[in-house]
């Protein structure tokens, strides 16, 4: 490389011929260096190039500043004259044309009338005088009263002829600009003259005031320009090292000598691609013609690749080009990176002898790159099959032409491998797709003599350098192995996939394009690749096993089928998360009175703990729903339960606490078509009305379960028949790429486009989700049904024992209308006991209601909040068998509370 000489080297050159040359600096930096200020003053003294440039620029700037000041002063004075003329003319014409001026001139005493007006106009117009005169030039007005009646000093002849006169004169009040204008009568005749004037001193005073400011600005500009010039000269001083013209000439000659003496070729090419400079070594290496300078590099007879590189000006580092019989290492850098001229500098070095060594280094580098890529590219997912595919894809075509991976079936399923069983081809990659190797998915049982079987048995690599002579491999499948050989595959390396003491399968690397077999270094590289992949495959296997266990647990905790009920037509979907299992759950719970409860919940987090917590909460909801509580009370009990779980499972116990859970609980009554909803930190439900409009119900948002301290609220609304109530978890509307508001709008659009049935709605909603979402998704779509009035019968019962027989008779008639005579006897017994208890122990009002749904439901309501309980009477007791008899005759029975009392109900199966 060519190095330009610095100032120190130049001083050494100067020392031999100049007795004034300074001494070189000492090694410790304390030698006799010239002081910085003294060096700058000496450099700017005029002997150096920087000093000459500084003096020249300061002179030019000084001339420019002086010229600007003179021009500005002249311009200001010219503007002052123009301003004086314009102002005097405007005031004179205004006064001449003012109303009453003509009449005053024709009056008996013009001075008495016009003098006050002229003085007022003079002051208002900011002029020095306004003189009104007759046609003979005798003044009627003047600022000085002693001048009135005297003859006007100035030219008035053109004004008498109807013209305007503007002249510069030295009047009695000094140099001034005065204007004379005629005063015309209505018939156009001139009846007098008006003159107005102003001294230039009054108008030019502003210019005189501006002159010091102008001079100060000029001085500041001169100072700034001088400072800027000093900075430029200082930079030039640094770049030229304070050298003078003679010294720079000597330095150029010295550098030119060095340039042609180095043993590296040096080329300088302009931005247009023309050769500006080439030293002797460049001429020799490239065999350039004598007149190469100033010619385009594409015209120098070089090969296309080298000429293209020189003409492009792009950055090149040790780029090897074959130029005739030489291998040249070319380095090229642009010259305009730091503000230089466009172009490039190129150095050439003969590297023919280094070719073989660099080739081996390149192979080693490629192998290191492959190992690095294996570390970051294999095992990107916890999927056994995908990890095997990543190994095969990495090896082709950088290491082998074809690569296959065969694993035991148990490994793919997440279990421990079982030696001696067949393997399954899990991955296959190649430079072409028509290779006659076993396809992916094929179960293979290798014969004992095959390289794969020997590798599995011995736990080490097996190399087959010539497959057409490998009898053990040929015995595997005579027809297929013959096809493989005819296809051109001639060499094989089989490496076992070992993870600790387990052998998971084998990896096979096949070669067809390169004629040489695999050498020892390549076998070692294959073993390293497979060892890294085996760890990732084993991790994926273990994850598959644990994930399968978690999924099995989770699915066992979710409802496997929906209970039979007639209030809602329901469809549901559950999608597990892409990674891990979550704590989302849902349920459909039949309640008394043909009502149905819908519940959707979500436990924060993933894994076995989230699934187990979900099962506990779902069980608790089942138990709490049996109490027939309103939604807000049920959520309050669930919140208390979660709080107790958090207190019991402390981190000191080694168990993960519940970090949060949400829940939405809704109860729908098909008789009244009313739905009561409460939620604890859960997204609001969506309602698709029969006309297709979609609304998100305004349900008060309670806190997530487990926080405590805040109450829950129930929202009640009436749903039209055929409405679709959509309950979901947050995985449906929220993920890392969008917030919940955007997800709710997407859900609204999907519901608008969905069909009428719940199944079609579920499909339309899930079609907008990815195949495997990042979070669990639980979705319930319930279309409301109504229990018609002809399937409901109600009676009010007086609080007297005689009313029991009337109720039995009315119920018998109603059952006959419903064609349920077979249930008349048991229904009479049940109602007799329930109504008798209500009359005896309760308080009014007492009501009876029959519901004909999938079952026959009998309900007796009263105003008491005392709940009856089942007793087991002794043989000697006369009473206490009423509820026991009801429990024996009915399939289910129970009590639920209302705001006005309670309802005791019993269900019987209909024939």
């Amino acid at each position: 490389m060519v190095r330009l000489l610095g100032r120190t080297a130049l001083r050494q050159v100067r020392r031999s011929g100049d007795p004034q040359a300074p001494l070189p600096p000492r090694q410790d930096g304390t030698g006799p260096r010239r002081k910085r200020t003294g060096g700058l003053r000496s450099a700017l003294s005029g002997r150096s190039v920087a000093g000459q440039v500084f003096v020249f620029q300061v002179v030019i700037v000084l001339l420019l500043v002086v010229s600007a000041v003179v021009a500005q002063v002249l311009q200001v004075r010219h503007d002052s004259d123009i301003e004086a003329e314009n102002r005097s003319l405007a005031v004179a014409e205004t006064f001449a044309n003012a109303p009453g001026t003509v009449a005053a001139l024709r009056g008996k005493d013009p001075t008495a009338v016009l003098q006050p007006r002229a003085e007022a106009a003079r002051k208002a117009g900011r002029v020095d005088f306004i003189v009104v005169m007759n046609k003979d030039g005798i003044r009627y007005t003047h600022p000085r009263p002693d001048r009135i009646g005297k003859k006007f000093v100035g030219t008035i002849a053109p004004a008498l002829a109807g013209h305007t006169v503007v002249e510069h004169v030295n009047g009695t009040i000094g140099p001034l600009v005065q204007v004379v204008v005629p005063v015309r009568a209505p018939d156009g005749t001139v009846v007098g003259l008006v003159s107005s004037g102003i001294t230039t001193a009054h108008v030019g005073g502003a210019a005189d005031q501006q002159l010091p400011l102008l001079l100060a600005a000029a001085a500041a500009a001169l100072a700034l320009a001088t400072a800027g010039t000093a900075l430029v000269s200082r930079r030039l001083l640094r770049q030229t090292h304070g050298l003078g013209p003679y010294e720079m000439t000597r330095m150029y000659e010295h550098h030119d000598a060095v340039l042609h003496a180095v043993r590296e070729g040096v080329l300088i090419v302009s931005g247009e691609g023309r050769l500006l400079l080439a030293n002797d070594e460049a001429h020799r290496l490239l065999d350039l013609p004598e007149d190469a300078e100033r010619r385009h590099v594409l015209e120098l007879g070089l090969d296309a690749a080298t000429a293209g590189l020189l003409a492009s000006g792009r950055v090149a580092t040790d780029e090897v080009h074959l130029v005739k019989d030489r291998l040249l290492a070319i380095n090229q850098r642009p010259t305009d990176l730091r503000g230089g001229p466009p172009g490039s500098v190129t150095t050439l070095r003969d590297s023919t002898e280094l070719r073989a060594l660099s080739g081996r280094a390149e192979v080693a580098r490629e192998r290191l790159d492959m190992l690095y890529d294996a570390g970051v590219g294999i095992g990107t997912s916890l999927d056994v099959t995908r990890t095997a595919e990543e190994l095969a894809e990495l090896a082709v075509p950088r290491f082998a032409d074809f690569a296959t991976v065969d694993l035991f079936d148990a490994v793919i399923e997440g279990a421990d491998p079982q030696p001696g069983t067949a393997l399954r081809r899990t991955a296959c990659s190649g430079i072409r797709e028509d290779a006659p190797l076993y396809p992916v998915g094929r179960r293979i049982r290798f014969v004992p003599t095959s390289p794969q079987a020997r590798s599995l048995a011995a736990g080490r690599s097996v190399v087959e350098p010539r497959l057409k002579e490998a009898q053990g491999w040929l015995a595997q499948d005579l027809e297929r192995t013959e096809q493989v050989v005819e296809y051109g595959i001639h060499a094989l390396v089989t490496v076992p996939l070992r993870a600790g003491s387990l052998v998971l399968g084998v990896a096979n690397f096949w070669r067809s394009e390169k004629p040489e077999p695999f050498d020892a270094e390549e076998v070692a590289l294959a073993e390293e690749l497979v060892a890294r992949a085996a760890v990732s495959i084993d991790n994926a296997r273990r994850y598959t096993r644990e994930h399968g266990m978690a999924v099995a647990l989770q699915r066992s905790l979710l409802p496997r089928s929906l209970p039979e009920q007639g209030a809602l037509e329901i469809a549901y979907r559950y999608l597990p998360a892409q990674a891990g299992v979550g704590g989302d759950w849902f349920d459909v719970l039949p309640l008394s009175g043909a009502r149905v409860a819908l519940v959707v919940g979500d436990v924060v987090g993933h894994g076995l703990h989230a699934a187990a917590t979900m099962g506990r909460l779902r069980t608790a909801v089942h138990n709490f729903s049996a109490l027939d509580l309103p939604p807000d009370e049920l959520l309050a009990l669930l919140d208390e339960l979660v709080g107790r779980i958090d207190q019991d499972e402390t981190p000191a116990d080694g168990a993960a606490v519940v970090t949060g859970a949400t829940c939405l609980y809704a109860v729908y009554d098909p008789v009244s078509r009313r739905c009561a909803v409460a939620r604890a930190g859960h997204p609001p439900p969506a309602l698709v009305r029969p006309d297709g409009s979609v609304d998100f119900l305004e349900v008060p948002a309670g806190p997530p379960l487990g926080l405590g301290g805040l109450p829950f609220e129930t929202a009640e609304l009436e749903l039209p028949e055929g409405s679709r109530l959509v309950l979901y978890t947050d995985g449906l509307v929220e993920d890392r790429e969008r917030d919940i508001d955007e997800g709710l709008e997407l859900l609204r659009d999907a519901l608008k486009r969905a069909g009428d049935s719940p199944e079609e709605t579920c499909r339309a909603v899930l079609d907008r989700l990815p195949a495997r979402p990042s979070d669990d998704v639980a979705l319930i779509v319930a279309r409301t049904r109504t229990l018609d009035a002809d399937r409901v019968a109600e009676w009010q019962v007086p609080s007297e024992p005689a009313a029991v027989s009337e109720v039995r008779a009315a119920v018998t008639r109603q059952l006959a209308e419903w064609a349920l005579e077979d249930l008349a006897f048991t229904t009479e017994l049940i109602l007799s006991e329930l109504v008798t208890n209500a009359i005896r122990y309760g308080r009014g009002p007492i009501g009876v209601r029959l519901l004909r749904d999938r079952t026959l439901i009998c309900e007796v309501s009263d105003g008491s909040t005392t709940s009856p309980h089942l007793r087991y009477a002794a043989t000697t007791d006369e009473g206490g068998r009423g509820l026991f008899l009801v429990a024996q005759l009915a399939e289910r029975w129970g009590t639920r509370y209302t705001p006005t009392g309670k309802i005791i109900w019993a269900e019987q199966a209909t024939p």
Side-chain angles (χ1 to χ4, degrees):
M1 297 294 292
V2 178
R3 292 190 177 182
L4 297 179
L5 292 178
R7 189 169 185 176
T8 303
L10 181 63
R11 287 173 177 171
Q12 295 173 356
V13 175
R14 291 177 57 188
R15 189 180 297 118
S16 61
D18 187 0
Q20 300 298 326
L23 293 175
R26 291 170 54 182
Q27 295 297 327
D28 59 358
T30 61
R33 290 177 177 238
R34 185 180 302 168
K35 290 185 179 180
R36 187 174 186 86
T37 56
L40 178 61
R41 187 182 305 111
S42 175
L44 298 180
S45 62
R47 292 191 296 271
S48 65
V49 174
Q52 294 175 7
V53 171
F54 175 75
V55 173
F56 182 69
Q57 289 183 341
V58 168
V59 171
I60 292 178
V61 170
L62 181 59
L63 291 176
L64 291 175
V65 170
V66 171
S67 301
V69 171
V70 172
Q72 183 67 19
V73 170
L74 294 177
Q75 180 65 36
V76 169
R77 291 182 177 178
H78 175 71
D79 293 341
S80 298
D81 292 342
I82 297 299
E83 171 67 17
E85 293 176 5
N86 293 337
R87 193 187 303 176
S88 299
L89 179 61
V91 171
E93 288 183 344
T94 301
F95 196 85
N97 297 321
T101 301
V102 176
L105 287 173
R106 291 179 176 177
K108 294 179 181 182
D109 190 0
T111 298
V113 177
L114 296 177
Q115 176 65 12
R117 296 183 182 179
E119 285 304 300
R122 178 181 67 81
K123 294 177 181 179
R126 292 184 300 163
V127 295
D128 290 326
F129 66 88
I130 297 178
V131 175
V132 182
M133 67 196 84
N134 59 16
K135 292 191 292 183
D136 296 328
I138 302 302
R139 299 187 183 102
Y140 290 146
T141 65
H142 196 277
R144 297 181 180 177
D146 59 338
R147 303 295 177 90
I148 297 175
K150 298 181 180 180
K151 190 171 181 63
F152 175 74
V153 179
T155 304
I156 62 173
L160 293 173
H163 303 289
T164 299
V165 179
V166 179
E167 56 185 342
H168 296 258
V169 298
N170 288 322
T172 58
I173 58 176
L176 55 84
V177 177
Q178 66 181 13
V179 177
V180 181
V181 298
V183 179
R184 298 177 184 273
D187 58 357
T189 61
V190 177
V191 297
L193 303 175
V194 175
S195 176
S196 174
I198 184 172
T199 59
T200 56
H202 289 172
V203 179
D208 295 337
Q209 295 174 1
Q210 294 177 358
L211 185 57
L213 180 61
L214 180 62
L215 293 177
L222 179 60
L224 291 176
T226 304
T229 303
L231 292 176
V232 173
S233 299
R234 184 176 180 181
R235 182 172 182 180
L236 182 60
L237 175 66
R238 289 198 303 269
Q239 294 177 347
T240 61
H241 302 283
L243 302 177
Y246 174 76
E247 294 171 332
M248 293 188 67
T249 302
R250 290 287 303 275
M251 184 178 65
Y252 171 76
E253 294 172 351
H254 185 75
H255 288 175
D256 186 65
V258 173
L259 180 66
H260 292 284
V262 295
R263 298 304 298 168
E264 285 190 358
V266 179
L267 301 173
I268 299 179
V269 181
S270 68
E272 294 79 16
R274 296 189 178 277
L275 181 63
L276 300 180
L277 183 146
N279 67 349
D280 295 341
E281 185 68 8
H283 275 272
R284 185 184 69 84
L285 294 177
L286 297 178
D287 195 16
L288 297 175
E290 294 294 333
D291 60 344
E293 281 78 4
R294 299 297 175 183
R295 293 175 58 183
H296 202 280
V297 293
L298 299 179
E299 301 173 357
L300 301 180
L302 302 175
D303 63 280
T306 305
L309 172 61
L310 297 177
S312 67
R314 63 178 174 84
V315 176
T317 302
D318 289 336
E319 194 170 302
V320 179
H321 286 253
L322 179 62
V323 180
K324 296 184 178 180
D325 58 343
R326 296 187 179 93
L327 287 173
L328 300 182
I330 301 178
N331 290 274
Q332 185 167 274
R333 295 292 185 273
T335 59
D336 56 354
L337 292 179
R338 297 183 179 179
S344 60
V345 176
T346 307
T347 61
L348 311 172
R349 185 176 67 254
D350 193 351
S351 61
T352 305
E353 298 178 356
L354 300 177
R355 180 62 177 175
L357 180 61
S358 63
R360 290 194 296 272
E362 181 66 20
V363 172
R365 186 184 65 81
E366 291 179 355
R367 292 178 179 177
L368 288 176
D369 289 344
M370 185 180 300
L371 291 177
Y372 172 78
D373 293 341
V376 299
I378 298 178
T380 58
S381 65
L382 293 174
D383 184 84
V384 174
T385 301
R386 180 55 194 157
T387 305
E389 292 173 350
E390 290 171 347
L391 171 61
E393 293 170 357
L394 177 68
V396 177
R398 301 166 66 178
F399 176 72
D401 299 319
F402 299 92
T404 58
V405 179
D406 305 321
L407 300 176
F408 291 105
D409 283 338
V411 173
I412 300 175
E413 297 171 357
D416 292 339
Q418 301 176 0
T421 61
L423 285 81
R424 187 176 298 276
R425 178 135 299 175
T426 309
C428 181
S429 180
I431 58 176
R432 294 183 296 273
E433 297 181 357
D434 57 346
L437 300 172
Y438 287 123
V440 174
R442 174 75 175 269
R443 285 177 56 86
I444 308 171
R445 185 175 292 277
F446 292 103
V447 299
T449 59
S450 65
Q452 291 83 356
R454 287 185 284 138
S455 176
L456 289 173
R460 56 180 176 81
S461 303
V462 175
V463 181
E464 291 291 351
R466 289 176 293 276
L467 288 178
K468 64 181 179 180
E469 300 176 4
Q471 297 300 323
W473 176 76
L474 294 173
Q476 172 66 33
D477 187 340
L478 296 179
E479 181 180 356
R480 185 174 293 274
T481 54
E482 183 179 356
Q483 294 175 357
V484 171
V485 172
E486 292 178 354
Y487 187 79
I489 299 176
H490 60 84
L492 166 66
V493 174
T494 296
V495 184
L497 285 157
R498 296 178 58 89
S501 60
L502 300 178
V503 179
L504 309 177
V506 292
N508 309 296
F509 303 98
W510 315 78
R511 177 168 286 175
S512 63
E513 297 294 324
K514 188 177 180 180
E516 296 85 4
F518 294 98
D519 57 24
E521 294 182 357
E522 291 174 328
V523 173
L525 176 62
E527 292 174 347
E528 181 68 20
L529 288 175
V530 173
R532 299 190 180 196
V535 175
S536 299
I537 291 177
D538 187 54
N539 290 337
R541 176 188 68 85
R542 294 173 183 270
Y543 172 79
T544 301
R545 179 179 59 190
E546 294 178 1
H547 184 264
M549 295 171 57
V551 170
L553 172 62
Q554 182 188 36
R555 293 196 177 277
S556 67
L557 296 175
L558 290 173
R560 300 181 182 179
S561 61
L562 297 182
E564 294 184 358
Q565 46 82 32
L568 298 170
E569 179 186 355
I570 295 177
Y572 66 93
R573 295 290 189 277
Y574 181 82
L575 297 181
Q578 185 175 2
V581 294
D584 293 14
W585 93 91
F586 64 93
D587 231 325
V588 179
L589 307 173
L591 302 178
S592 63
R595 297 171 304 128
V596 177
L598 301 176
V599 59
V600 174
D602 183 8
V603 176
V604 176
H606 294 83
L608 291 174
H609 177 71
T613 303
M614 175 267 290
R616 297 169 71 177
L617 296 181
R618 179 170 176 259
T619 302
V621 171
H622 268 269
N623 294 332
F624 292 151
S625 67
L627 301 177
D628 231 329
L629 299 174
D632 55 339
E633 296 183 17
L634 185 140
L635 291 182
L637 293 176
L638 200 62
D639 177 67
E640 182 181 355
L641 172 65
V642 174
R644 288 201 305 269
I645 294 176
D646 283 341
Q647 294 175 2
D648 296 340
E649 295 181 353
T650 61
D653 299 332
V657 299
V658 181
T659 58
T662 65
C663 184
L664 186 146
Y665 190 79
V667 178
Y668 174 69
D669 187 349
V671 178
S672 63
R673 293 188 289 108
R674 298 194 64 81
C675 181
V677 186
R679 62 188 178 114
H682 204 81
L687 178 65
V688 184
R689 302 186 184 277
D691 59 359
S693 60
V694 179
D695 295 319
F696 290 99
L697 301 182
E698 295 183 0
V699 181
L705 299 177
L707 296 182
L710 295 176
F712 301 96
E713 298 183 36
T714 299
E716 290 193 8
L717 61 155
E718 185 173 334
L719 303 181
E721 184 177 5
S723 300
R724 281 167 287 165
L725 192 63
V726 181
L727 281 63
Y728 53 89
T729 56
D730 58 354
L732 183 69
V733 295
E734 188 177 12
D735 57 23
R736 297 190 183 101
E737 298 180 358
R738 64 171 182 268
D739 57 18
I740 190 170
D741 292 334
E742 182 181 356
L744 291 175
E745 288 302 319
L746 293 176
L747 175 60
R748 184 194 301 271
D749 294 339
L751 293 176
K752 289 180 179 179
R753 296 192 301 267
D756 293 336
S757 69
E759 282 293 336
E760 293 175 346
T761 304
C762 286
R763 283 195 297 270
V765 170
L766 296 185
D767 283 346
R768 51 176 285 275
L769 289 179
R772 299 186 67 183
S774 59
D775 193 8
D776 290 13
V777 174
L779 173 67
I780 299 179
V781 179
R783 184 164 64 180
T784 60
R785 296 170 178 167
T786 302
L787 200 62
D788 297 335
D790 58 352
R791 302 170 68 89
V792 179
E794 294 182 277
W795 300 274
Q796 292 296 322
V797 181
S799 297
E800 53 185 30
V804 176
S805 59
E806 298 177 1
V807 171
R808 287 201 302 266
V811 168
T812 301
R813 290 192 298 271
Q814 185 63 53
L815 293 179
E817 294 180 7
W818 288 345
L820 296 177
E821 293 89 348
D822 295 341
L823 299 178
F825 178 73
T826 56
T827 303
E828 288 182 8
L829 288 178
I830 292 173
L831 286 178
S832 296
E833 293 298 332
L834 297 181
V835 173
T836 299
N837 286 340
I839 294 174
R840 181 177 300 175
Y841 304 109
R843 63 173 180 263
I846 300 174
V848 174
R849 186 172 72 164
L850 287 184
L851 303 177
R852 181 189 175 189
D853 193 27
R854 294 178 178 270
T855 59
L856 180 63
I857 303 172
C858 304
E859 295 181 348
V860 176
S861 61
D862 65 83
S864 173
T865 57
T866 302
S867 175
H869 61 279
L870 185 64
R871 291 175 54 192
Y872 295 90
T875 56
T876 58
D877 292 339
E878 295 183 359
R881 297 180 178 84
L883 288 181
F884 179 78
L885 182 61
V886 171
Q888 295 298 317
L889 296 177
E891 287 189 346
R892 296 195 309 156
W893 76 279
T895 304
R896 72 173 182 269
Y897 294 94
T898 65
T900 59
K902 67 176 182 297
I903 296 176
I904 305 176
W905 55 271
E907 291 186 5
Q908 303 176 75
T910 57

